[in-house]
Amino acid sequence: MDNLNQGLDRLLYTLSTYALPILIGLASLLALFTWKTQYPVVDPQQLEIQVLKESVDVVEPAQALALLRESPISPFHDTRLSVAPVWFSFVTPKEVETTPLMVEFPSRHAMNIACWDARTLKALGNGNHQGATGGISAIKAGFALELSPALKGEQVVCRTSAIGPARISALIWRANDLRSSAQEFHRKSGLLDGGIIVLAIFVMVAALINRNALYVLFAAWLVVNLRMGALSAGWDSQWLGNSVPQDWLQRMRLITTAVYYVLAVTLFKVLFRDDLTKVGSLFLLRIAQWTCLPLLLLSAFMTYQSYLPFLWVSTGLSIGVMVFFLTRILQKTRSRVAIWYSAAISITIVSSLYEVLSAALGIKGLIGSVNSVTAALASSLLAALAIAEQMRQEHVQRLEVQAELEHTYAAMPIGLFTLDLRGRFTSANPALVGMLGPNVLTDGANAWQQYFTNGAWTQLHQMVHNKNEDEMEIQGKPVPGCSGSKCFLVKATLAGDKIEGSLQDVTEKSRATADLSFLADHDSLTKVLNRRGIAKAFNSAIASLTGANAPVALAYLDLDRFKLINDLFGHGVGDEVLQQVCGRVSDLLSRELQFGRVGGDEFVIVFPDTPIARAAVMCRGIIDSIDTLPYQVGENAFHVRGSIGLIEVRAGMQFNDAMSTADRACRQAKSGSSDGLVVYEKNAIAFKQHEAELKLIALLATSSATDGLYLEMQPIMSLTKPHESLNFEVLLRMRDIDGNVVPTDRLIAAAENSGRMGMIDRWVLSTTLAWLNTNYTQLKHTKFVCMNLSGASLNDEKFLQEVYVMLEQNLHLVGQLCLEITESVALHDLENTRRFVNKVRGYGAKVALDDFGAGYTSFSYLKEFTADLLKIDGSFIVNMNKHPANIAIVEAIVNLAKNLGMKVIAEWAEDNATVQTLTEIGVDYVQGFAVARAQHPDKLLKAESSASFIQDEALAHYVCLIEKSNQMLPQVDMFSDVRVINVH
């Protein structure tokens, strides 16, 4: 039974779709060409007429008859756009006595007519398109006069007036034939009206359904084209079966032609928009477009006679432009739309040319009303074919795009889906099926919540309705046999009563993002927080400290001598030890405490909401845990010791400041006897010192950095001729804005940390040279002045060049300068030190090695460059009489210096006994509180020698004995003609 039903369906479909339409078409052709017409019409006979051409002043029929007797006989008369009344006459045929006859005046431009019997001057009737009386009646496009038997062979005189290119003629009809012709006329006009209006309505409906403005434009063109055909055929005096008011008719004709022109140009432009850009020369079409509005305005105000020339010129221009572009389009694109439209416009052109020629040249009879109707109908149908072809092309394009979209939909690597408002999948592409499984569209297994975690449907529903977000990440439910769950990125929107969106598997991306996020705040080796992460933890703790005044502590942990493990056993072993250290420390800390690595073997612990006493106990436990058990790596066991600097954090403290202070406490723990832990509470002096150092660093960065600097001089006494020389060392000093003296070591540390040491040394050197230049004549007994240069300055090439310039500008003082270089600086870069020493000595200045013996003393480096003076570090001098080893070391240094041709200065000589021992060893110069403390520069200007400052009577007596004993011995002082400067 099912097969029979399907067979019946196919049979009826074939019969209805193919067979019956073909039969209907064949029957229509048979009826059109072979069947007898329902309105048989015999062609009329044309009457000869006499026309009074100059009849402006003629108003009476008798007057017209007198003039008409002299007029020639002709078949018709053209008014040539004249609106003046026209008088004409004709003779009725004799058959009127036996056969009812009617005379037709077919001009569609005739506005009214009146006729009289020439013999009796009796009125036969008159009329216009609004009505008629007597024997006159309106018929088809013109008028007709019914002849009575009394008019047999008689002359009839008529008067008519017309607007437009009217042709006055008279056609004799049998009454029945004229009535049949009129019926056929109105039937054809009705067919044209009905056909084109139905077509226009269909196109308008298609336009509304498809929302296509082109179809609206074409529907309007069809209606106006119908009115143009009606105008040409002569039935434009009615519309939809109703008569157009007589006073509207002529103006409507003008406006109709202008509107038709505007619509034709616009339709052409829209229909071939894409093709026109390919052929170029668009300025021609622009010219045609610019004639539209003026022509439309002229049609609303000008008379018919004045308006027609403008219409003919514009029509000729637009037709030429359209023909040009259609030819180019056909050549370039072979467009079917252009072919159909070309056929339609060709018919329009022929019809329009006929209208123009008939009006301008008086040519008539080329085509009749039937052909005018046929032209309007044919052009409309061909234009409809052009539109239909374009619709077909658009449909084909839509099908191609749809096929491409379907292919893309199937090939898209991202899952695409459609859900109903209950959260059930109604469509899914292969990618989505691959993500969620083959049953995603199966009833009972197509619910959204079956594939994603609880709450995912609510999230999606809120997203598409609230429109706050256009995408979100959701978790899929765990799949049996797979580890973990997948992560998906969902983008969706509400489309009517459905939800359409995409699903992308971002599991790996999510994991990678999580890993990157973890690495952004954690150390890749130990997995504890890195510096960035610990800074976040610190700032978070500070925020709670500010809000609730809760205690916060920060610990800085450093592993002592850990570098040896890396150097001896490699970084791989060192990394393993670090991981074990972190594991051991992390086990001791609760989750609230944050632990991070900020350096190779340096760590930080943040203690939020932890009193400093409890944090200290915990730090002690950490140190013990690190120290107690060795760390096993392979077959090796390593003992590691840690030191911690713990500080109590104050509200508003910056992370870098806290780190710097904790690091300082840690360094103190490493170097002191605090058993590895140093604690700074809020009011600890270290905080104040650190703040002072930070303020000093900030001050040194300003333009007023040198405002508080000043110099002092400490005398250096000769142990051979104490009263004959006034030598000294220049010492740097500073006062803050409150006038308090800033410790020099703090100033030097701040300058080195801020990179401003070169600026300090530059100021000291320039200030010292200026002071020496000012007081040069008063320093007659000064043999040398010492001045210390920092290591940072010696590594600053710009500073060294400035030193060389200052030396060149003060060559008269250079021989008195002795620039000190610290031993550790000299050893750091021997090549650079050698170049500097040679350059300075080349100018005539002397060089001294400062703090000799206190650093990485190596006698071998003394042969790398030549120094003039050697200053023994004060740590060997202080209380040297209590330490015989120091005496031996100093004596060895003195002998070495003398053998190398250098003089020796002993620093930190604090008492008479020390000076005596130094004298006995053979030291050349002594400097320290035993001789004098640092003095204001003005005091040196008043002294005779360095010995003038001695306050200890015993030392003064001993110095006098030295002077007397040495007077008996010849002395050679290599600095006798030299003055030297030393600055800290």
Side-chain angles (χ1 to χ4, degrees):
M1 193 64 185
D2 291 338
N3 293 334
L4 290 176
N5 289 330
Q6 292 178 1
L8 179 62
D9 290 340
R10 287 194 296 269
L11 176 61
L12 293 176
Y13 178 81
T14 303
L15 182 64
S16 301
T17 306
Y18 300 105
L20 291 179
I22 292 175
L23 289 175
I24 293 172
L26 292 175
S28 299
L29 291 175
L30 181 65
L32 183 64
F33 292 105
T34 62
W35 294 0
K36 184 180 178 180
T37 178
Q38 187 177 3
Y39 303 100
V41 178
V42 178
D43 292 336
Q45 178 185 354
Q46 188 162 0
L47 298 176
E48 300 289 335
I49 63 173
Q50 290 177 297
V51 181
L52 185 61
K53 296 182 179 180
E54 301 295 334
S55 58
V56 177
D57 297 329
V58 178
V59 295
E60 295 297 333
Q63 185 181 3
L65 278 172
L67 296 173
L68 283 171
R69 292 189 182 97
E70 299 177 359
S71 299
I73 297 174
S74 62
F76 56 84
H77 170 71
D78 290 325
T79 62
R80 306 295 177 93
L81 301 181
S82 174
V83 295
V86 177
W87 289 88
F88 66 95
S89 66
F90 60 89
V91 178
T92 63
K94 296 180 179 180
E95 292 85 355
V96 68
E97 184 178 7
T98 58
T99 304
L101 297 178
M102 296 185 72
V103 178
E104 180 190 6
F105 309 105
S107 176
R108 59 187 172 87
H109 295 286
M111 302 304 296
N112 55 65
I113 192 169
C115 294
W116 293 265
D117 183 348
R119 183 172 57 84
T120 63
L121 296 180
K122 179 181 178 181
L124 300 177
N126 64 78
N128 54 38
H129 290 289
Q130 300 299 312
T133 61
I136 297 293
S137 63
I139 193 167
K140 295 197 290 188
F143 300 94
L145 172 64
E146 185 177 357
L147 300 177
S148 64
L151 294 175
K152 173 185 175 182
E154 296 294 333
Q155 186 178 10
V156 177
V157 61
C158 298
R159 184 190 65 196
T160 185
S161 59
I163 297 177
R167 168 166 287 188
I168 307 301
S169 63
L171 303 176
I172 190 70
W173 290 82
R174 290 184 179 182
N176 292 334
D177 290 340
L178 181 58
R179 292 187 184 97
S180 296
S181 177
Q183 288 178 349
E184 183 184 22
F185 177 86
H186 291 296
R187 172 181 169 274
K188 291 179 178 178
S189 66
L191 288 175
L192 185 62
D193 274 353
I196 294 183
I197 289 176
V198 169
L199 180 60
I201 292 174
F202 169 77
V203 173
M204 180 62 72
V205 171
L208 295 176
I209 293 175
N210 294 282
R211 298 182 180 179
N212 192 326
L214 172 62
Y215 301 155
V216 176
L217 178 60
F218 180 62
W221 180 85
L222 283 174
V223 174
V224 178
N225 190 43
L226 169 64
R227 295 300 299 170
M228 288 296 294
L231 188 152
S232 178
W235 65 68
D236 62 324
S237 59
Q238 61 85 30
W239 175 243
L240 300 179
N242 299 311
S243 297
V244 177
Q246 184 70 19
D247 53 346
W248 286 24
L249 183 60
Q250 294 304 319
R251 184 59 60 191
M252 285 185 63
R253 286 178 175 178
L254 301 183
I255 294 175
T256 298
T257 58
V259 170
Y260 179 78
Y261 181 86
V262 172
L263 288 174
V265 173
T266 306
L267 179 63
F268 181 83
K269 173 67 181 300
V270 174
L271 192 62
F272 296 104
R273 180 185 293 112
D274 297 334
D275 295 328
L276 289 172
T277 58
K278 299 177 182 178
V279 301
S281 303
L282 292 180
F283 70 95
L284 294 175
L285 188 59
R286 291 296 183 194
I287 295 174
Q289 286 180 297
W290 277 108
T291 62
C292 292
L293 292 179
L295 189 65
L296 193 61
L297 292 175
L298 292 176
S299 69
F301 300 104
M302 294 186 71
T303 63
Y304 206 107
Q305 186 177 10
S306 302
Y307 168 76
L308 283 181
F310 291 100
L311 175 63
W312 296 338
V313 172
S314 300
T315 302
L317 173 65
S318 63
I319 289 175
V321 170
M322 290 183 185
V323 170
F324 168 77
F325 280 111
L326 281 173
T327 304
R328 295 287 300 275
I329 290 171
L330 288 173
Q331 290 175 348
K332 286 184 174 292
T333 65
R334 307 292 181 182
S335 170
R336 292 183 180 180
V337 177
I339 293 174
W340 290 117
Y341 197 77
S342 298
I345 202 172
S346 297
I347 294 176
T348 303
I349 289 172
V350 172
S351 177
S352 299
L353 284 177
Y354 164 71
E355 294 291 337
V356 172
L357 291 174
S358 66
L361 304 178
I363 300 174
K364 296 290 182 178
L366 293 180
I367 61 176
S369 64
V370 174
N371 288 336
S372 298
V373 172
T374 305
L377 181 59
S379 64
S380 297
L381 292 177
L382 290 173
L385 288 175
I387 298 295
E389 176 60 26
Q390 188 181 51
M391 293 172 65
R392 187 194 68 81
Q393 292 180 1
E394 292 177 351
H395 178 66
V396 171
Q397 292 175 355
R398 283 195 295 269
L399 291 178
E400 292 175 351
V401 172
Q402 184 177 355
E404 184 177 354
L405 289 175
E406 289 177 354
H407 175 73
T408 304
Y409 184 80
M412 182 72 70
I414 298 175
L416 303 177
F417 64 85
T418 302
L419 297 171
D420 60 22
L421 295 182
R422 297 176 61 185
R424 294 176 301 186
F425 287 99
T426 59
S427 68
N429 70 338
L432 187 82
V433 173
M435 292 179 192
L436 303 183
N439 299 324
V440 68
L441 296 177
T442 304
D443 291 340
N446 61 347
W448 175 272
Q449 57 267 26
Q450 290 178 265
Y451 298 93
F452 303 102
T453 56
N454 295 333
W457 167 244
T458 303
Q459 289 179 271
L460 179 65
H461 195 270
Q462 291 176 348
M463 182 179 75
V464 298
H465 282 84
N466 298 337
K467 298 181 180 179
N468 296 328
E469 300 176 348
D470 58 357
E471 64 180 28
M472 66 177 182
E473 286 192 8
I474 58 176
Q475 293 292 326
K477 287 187 176 180
V479 179
C482 298
S483 59
S485 60
K486 292 185 177 181
C487 182
F488 298 95
L489 178 66
V490 180
K491 297 181 180 180
T493 184
L494 190 63
D497 59 348
K498 297 180 180 179
I499 297 175
E500 295 181 350
S502 64
L503 191 71
Q504 186 176 359
D505 189 343
V506 293
T507 304
E508 296 301 324
K509 178 183 176 182
S510 180
R511 290 174 181 171
T513 302
D515 291 342
L516 289 175
S517 178
F518 179 83
L519 291 176
D521 294 330
H522 292 78
D523 178 53
S524 59
L525 174 64
T526 61
K527 308 308 178 188
V528 298
L529 293 175
N530 57 16
R531 187 180 184 90
R532 182 173 181 267
I534 207 70
K536 287 183 178 180
F538 175 85
N539 292 330
S540 176
I542 284 293
S544 65
L545 176 65
T546 304
N549 200 26
V552 176
L554 180 74
Y556 197 100
L557 167 64
D558 189 10
L559 303 182
D560 301 339
R561 303 182 67 81
F562 177 79
K563 186 175 181 298
L564 290 176
I565 298 177
N566 284 332
D567 293 342
L568 297 176
F569 296 94
H571 287 276
V573 174
D575 291 346
E576 177 64 27
V577 172
L578 286 177
Q579 290 174 340
Q580 294 185 29
V581 169
C582 289
R584 194 175 294 182
V585 174
S586 297
D587 291 341
L588 297 175
L589 301 175
S590 63
R591 296 181 59 182
E592 293 76 14
L593 306 181
Q594 303 296 329
F595 177 49
R597 182 186 179 201
V598 296
D601 57 350
E602 299 167 337
F603 303 88
V604 170
I605 307 171
V606 177
F607 296 90
D609 196 17
T610 306
I612 190 68
R614 183 155 54 123
V617 172
M618 298 174 69
C619 288
R620 173 58 60 194
I622 291 172
I623 293 175
D624 294 339
S625 175
I626 293 175
D627 296 350
T628 303
L629 298 175
Y631 298 90
Q632 191 74 31
V633 180
E635 298 179 354
N636 299 316
F638 301 94
H639 286 275
V640 177
R641 185 177 182 275
S643 298
I644 293 180
L646 178 64
I647 66 169
E648 188 176 10
V649 179
R650 296 169 298 172
M653 195 172 193
Q654 298 298 316
F655 175 70
N656 289 336
D657 295 342
M659 287 283 289
S660 177
T661 307
D663 182 27
R664 181 174 183 175
C666 183
R667 291 198 305 270
Q668 184 177 346
K670 290 171 67 73
S671 61
S673 57
S674 56
D675 200 16
L677 176 63
V678 169
V679 180
Y680 289 169
E681 297 184 359
K682 286 185 179 180
N683 299 321
I685 189 64
F687 278 109
K688 297 180 180 179
Q689 292 176 348
H690 186 61
E691 287 182 357
E693 184 176 338
L694 292 177
K695 291 180 180 179
L696 189 56
I697 290 175
L699 175 63
L700 293 178
T702 65
S703 58
S704 58
T706 60
D707 290 352
L709 300 180
Y710 66 96
L711 298 178
E712 288 186 346
M713 282 73 167
Q714 185 174 25
I716 301 176
M717 185 180 70
S718 171
L719 293 180
T720 57
K721 295 182 178 181
H723 292 91
E724 294 186 7
S725 62
L726 179 59
N727 309 310
F728 53 89
E729 177 183 359
V730 178
L731 302 176
L732 175 65
R733 297 291 185 263
M734 182 179 188
R735 287 190 178 89
D736 58 23
I737 58 176
D738 297 326
N740 301 318
V741 176
V742 178
T744 302
D745 58 346
R746 184 184 301 168
L747 171 62
I748 298 300
E752 289 179 345
N753 292 334
S754 62
R756 302 285 284 173
M757 198 62 230
M759 179 270 295
I760 299 293
D761 284 346
R762 187 184 304 110
W763 181 88
V764 172
L765 179 58
S766 61
T767 304
T768 301
L769 289 173
W771 186 81
L772 290 175
N773 274 311
T774 301
N775 303 291
Y776 183 75
T777 57
Q778 296 179 261
L779 300 173
K780 298 179 181 179
H781 300 291
T782 300
K783 307 299 182 182
F784 64 87
V785 180
C786 291
M787 176 179 176
N788 191 288
L789 295 180
S790 67
S793 299
L794 290 178
N795 291 320
D796 186 349
E797 189 63 30
K798 181 180 179 181
F799 169 78
L800 295 181
Q801 295 301 323
E802 293 175 346
V803 169
Y804 301 149
V805 170
M806 284 189 280
L807 293 180
E808 289 178 356
Q809 294 173 350
N810 297 275
L811 291 176
H812 60 291
L813 299 176
V814 169
Q816 301 168 346
L817 297 178
C818 183
L819 303 181
E820 295 185 7
I821 304 173
T822 303
E823 174 199 355
S824 58
V825 175
L827 283 174
H828 179 69
D829 190 349
L830 285 174
E831 184 62 30
N832 186 53
T833 304
R834 184 189 300 110
R835 286 197 303 269
F836 175 75
V837 169
N838 292 337
K839 186 79 171 180
V840 169
R841 288 172 62 85
Y843 285 109
K846 300 298 183 287
V847 175
L849 289 178
D850 193 18
D851 298 334
F852 187 83
Y856 306 95
T857 301
S858 174
F859 292 114
S860 62
Y861 84 89
L862 293 175
K863 66 182 180 180
E864 296 292 335
F865 55 89
T866 304
D868 303 291
L869 191 66
L870 189 148
K871 296 187 73 173
I872 303 174
D873 187 75
S875 60
F876 295 104
I877 306 302
V878 174
N879 297 323
M880 63 181 300
N881 290 325
K882 298 180 180 179
H883 304 282
N886 286 355
I887 296 176
I889 292 172
V890 172
E891 187 173 5
I893 293 173
V894 170
N895 292 332
L896 175 64
K898 290 184 178 296
N899 290 332
L900 294 176
M902 293 185 288
K903 293 292 185 178
V904 178
I905 298 178
E907 297 181 301
W908 296 8
E910 304 298 330
D911 51 42
N912 181 23
T914 301
V915 174
Q916 292 183 23
T917 303
L918 293 173
T919 304
E920 294 172 359
I921 291 175
V923 171
D924 299 292
Y925 297 94
V926 66
Q927 178 182 355
F929 290 170
V931 177
R933 295 177 178 272
Q935 304 291 322
H936 191 278
D938 292 345
K939 292 184 178 181
L940 269 71
L941 299 177
K942 300 177 182 179
E944 292 293 332
S945 67
S946 299
S948 303
F949 294 94
I950 297 176
Q951 301 294 323
D952 187 348
E953 294 182 1
L955 179 58
H957 177 71
Y958 178 74
V959 168
C960 291
L961 295 178
I962 294 175
E963 188 81 32
K964 292 180 181 179
S965 63
N966 288 336
Q967 286 178 355
M968 302 178 62
L969 300 173
Q971 299 290 331
V972 178
D973 189 350
M974 64 179 290
F975 289 96
S976 60
D977 297 326
V978 179
R979 308 176 185 180
V980 186
I981 306 179
N982 187 317
V983 179
H984 290 299

